[in-house]
């Protein structure tokens, strides 16, 4: 794989309402987008630092993977995943699979901000949940 940059870092939070003002102060920038991703049962909030974003994720349902992450983390949020920007996400997934990396998503699906996204299994990526993203609209 050859990612072009870190697209975003995903951070699980228990409440966007409480976390957004904190991150606005910490990063010195305003949240520029709040979006619900129904498919993933999360509400997301984005901040931009250079070409990298911070993505806050709040679960919208107890069945959300973010809800189970928070539960395993003693009811607290925390760093959840790292996302790399790639070109030709389908090819990158095939390459990852050929290299023996377990895929969570065999094919890309729609994520926040109109990106095509796919996750790699943390068991294959040194314990770090890894997301690949491609902006097919650019
Ligand atoms: Zn993400």
């Amino acid at each position: 794989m050859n990612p072009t940059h870190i697209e975003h870092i995903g951070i699980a939070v228990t409440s966007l309402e409480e976390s957004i003002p904190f991150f606005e102060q910490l990063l010195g920038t305003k949240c520029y987008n709040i979006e619900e991703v129904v498919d993933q049962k999360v509400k997301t909030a984005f901040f931009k630092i250079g070409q990298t974003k911070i993505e806050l994720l709040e679960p919208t349902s107890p069945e959300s993977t973010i809800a189970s992450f928070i539960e395993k983390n003693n009811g607290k949020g925390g760093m959840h995943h790292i996302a790399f920007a790639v070109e030709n996400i389908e090819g990158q997934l095939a390459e990852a699979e050929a290299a023996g990396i377990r895929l969570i998503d065999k094919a890309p699906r729609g994520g926040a901000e109109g990106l095509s996204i796919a996750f790699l299994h943390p068991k294959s990526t040194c314990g770090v949940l890894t997301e690949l993203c491609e902006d097919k609209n650019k």
Side-chain angles (χ1 to χ4, degrees), residues 8-10 40 46 55 57 81-83 117 119 131 133:
H8 64 266
I9 291 172
Q40 287 160 59
F46 286 91
E55 174 188 47
L57 304 130
H81 65 273
I82 185 162
I117 65 158
F119 282 95
E131 178 182 355
C133 305

